[in-house]
Amino acid sequence: MVAPILKDTIPVVQNVSHTTNAVVMVPPIDFKFNVETSADNEFQQRLALPEQEIRKKALNEFYNMVSILQSHGVEVTVMDYSGDAYETPDAVFPNNWFSTSPDGDVFLFPMACENRRHEVRPACLKRNLEQQGFSVTDITPVSDLKHPNAFLESTGVMILDHAQGTIYAALSERCDKELLQKYVDLAGFHELIYFETKMASGASVYHTNVMMAVGEGFAVICDEIIEEFERRRVLATLKKTKEVISITEEQMGQFCGNILQLKNDKNEHLIAMSVSAYNAFTLEQKQTLRKHGQLIPIDVSTIETIGGGSVRCMLAENFLPKNV
């Protein structure tokens, strides 16, 4: 449904670029099957490999992805993410604990699983970004101390249409309605569209960004898992400004919804996705996507199989201003 928001009290996002040519990535130093997140992440699968071999494969995939993005003109900040007393098996998915804005704001978000909360390292993030020449003005937690069991896992659960000032979100244990509204107010978005989902298993999708992606002129969405009335609302809103590509639940399982439109240093559009997603899109769907950017398929098969997240989950967009 569309949340009621008093538009005259909320600053409307204007002249904001939807895409960025800078991202933050975190190496999968402690990567392994995360039992805690597997409770509601049906995309995770175990592999019969020793943990040491899994981490070696994951690190190879990670640094190959960094290299591919850099070769296409994307600025990548790799966080100096040294291990500590707590294992962080899902640290490779940093887009779940922070987001950035062109005003220099960094927002921090509460995550549902205890071992994922140890990923939140704002001082380390700030240091690494400033070393790359980015300006961090404020760091703002988006949380509710009165409701410690309310979670909002950043751009994992929120699909941000920066140009239109709209947020799309599938409600779940990891996506609290009240915190959604709080972020809308803090970040200056003026339309919030949230909805319920139901997969073939009967469960809700754990993160919106595995079922949905929004670019400047296109949207990919697994709309068949949205209840019919809400589905019509979501599609009608998207179609006002986007070319909509509907994917099946099977394609969603191959991470076709987990893609991200970026820019390169020449202001050309790219669309990053996994090889699995690329192979699962139909020829017609790929032709449509190519109208909106060069397709960049990247092999992250170990990470997406065991971690239950893919290329988009590995990319935290960096909209921060550069120091002059």
Side-chain angles (χ1 to χ4, degrees):
M1 62 184 68
V2 181
I5 298 174
L6 299 176
K7 294 186 179 181
D8 59 348
T9 64
I10 304 297
V12 176
V13 178
Q14 294 179 335
N15 300 319
V16 176
S17 175
H18 179 75
T19 54
T20 178
N21 68 341
V23 295
V24 177
M25 298 179 67
V26 176
I29 294 172
D30 296 330
F31 186 74
K32 64 178 181 179
F33 185 88
N34 190 343
V35 176
E36 288 188 31
T37 57
S38 67
D40 65 345
N41 182 347
E42 296 186 9
F43 295 79
Q44 290 178 238
Q45 301 174 48
R46 292 184 184 272
L47 289 182
L49 294 172
E51 279 189 10
Q52 186 176 2
E53 185 174 348
I54 286 171
R55 286 176 183 169
K56 181 179 179 181
K57 285 177 174 289
L59 283 165
N60 286 340
E61 290 173 2
F62 174 86
Y63 284 108
N64 179 59
M65 180 168 162
V66 170
S67 177
I68 289 172
L69 291 172
Q70 289 174 334
S71 72
H72 283 88
V74 177
E75 183 170 1
V76 181
T77 299
V78 177
M79 276 186 66
D80 177 17
Y81 198 87
S82 56
D84 62 15
Y86 300 100
E87 277 197 328
T88 52
D90 281 344
V92 72
F93 305 132
N95 80 308
N96 298 150
W97 65 267
F98 75 91
S99 70
T100 60
S101 84
D103 296 326
D105 295 320
V106 172
F107 297 98
L108 304 179
F109 297 87
M111 294 195 287
C113 295
E114 184 177 354
N115 66 7
R116 294 217 63 191
R117 296 167 200 162
H118 300 301
E119 298 171 25
V120 182
R121 303 182 185 185
C124 178
L125 175 64
K126 184 174 186 289
R127 182 178 69 251
N128 279 261
L129 288 168
E130 290 178 342
Q131 287 173 349
Q132 293 274 111
F134 293 98
S135 175
V136 177
T137 305
D138 290 301
I139 298 179
T140 305
V142 183
S143 57
D144 187 345
L145 296 178
K146 295 180 181 178
H147 299 92
N149 292 322
F151 308 113
L152 187 69
E153 296 192 341
S154 190
T155 53
V157 298
M158 298 184 294
I159 307 301
L160 310 181
D161 187 343
H162 298 277
Q164 302 303 319
T166 303
I167 294 178
Y168 299 87
L171 298 179
S172 69
E173 182 185 350
R174 307 191 192 196
C175 183
D176 180 78
K177 201 162 36 177
E178 281 68 34
L179 286 182
L180 266 174
Q181 184 65 65
K182 183 173 183 177
Y183 177 73
V184 167
D185 297 345
L186 286 170
F189 287 81
H190 63 84
E191 185 174 30
L192 170 60
I193 299 178
Y194 55 80
F195 48 88
E196 303 281 352
T197 60
K198 187 176 182 181
M199 298 186 292
S201 66
S204 301
V205 70
Y206 82 105
H207 273 166
T208 316
N209 75 1
V210 294
M211 62 165 290
M212 184 178 182
V214 169
E216 283 187 1
F218 75 93
V220 173
I221 183 168
C222 182
D223 53 288
E224 67 181 42
I225 67 171
I226 305 175
E227 185 273 330
E228 185 178 356
F229 175 75
E230 293 182 321
R231 182 191 315 158
R232 290 200 299 268
R233 271 181 195 260
V234 173
L235 291 176
T237 305
L238 288 171
K239 288 177 179 178
K240 289 177 185 177
T241 57
K242 314 293 179 190
E243 188 168 16
V244 177
I245 301 169
S246 288
I247 58 173
T248 65
E249 187 170 348
E250 183 179 359
Q251 287 178 302
M252 180 180 72
Q254 296 299 313
F255 296 100
C256 290
N258 200 240
I259 67 177
L260 182 65
Q261 186 183 44
L262 297 165
K263 289 186 295 191
N264 64 14
D265 52 3
K266 299 176 182 177
N267 214 35
E268 300 165 331
H269 282 123
L270 313 168
I271 303 177
M273 64 182 67
S274 71
V275 170
S276 302
Y278 181 86
N279 290 337
F281 278 118
T282 67
L283 289 176
E284 183 180 0
Q285 288 169 336
K286 282 186 273 199
Q287 287 172 352
T288 301
L289 285 170
R290 287 192 178 97
K291 291 189 289 182
H292 301 279
Q294 181 183 355
L295 306 189
I296 311 295
I298 305 168
D299 182 10
V300 291
S301 53
T302 306
I303 291 172
E304 67 184 1
T305 299
I306 296 173
S310 190
V311 164
R312 196 278 172 264
C313 298
M314 297 170 65
L315 298 171
E317 294 158 284
N318 179 3
F319 289 97
L320 296 168
K322 279 269 192 174
N323 291 315
V324 178

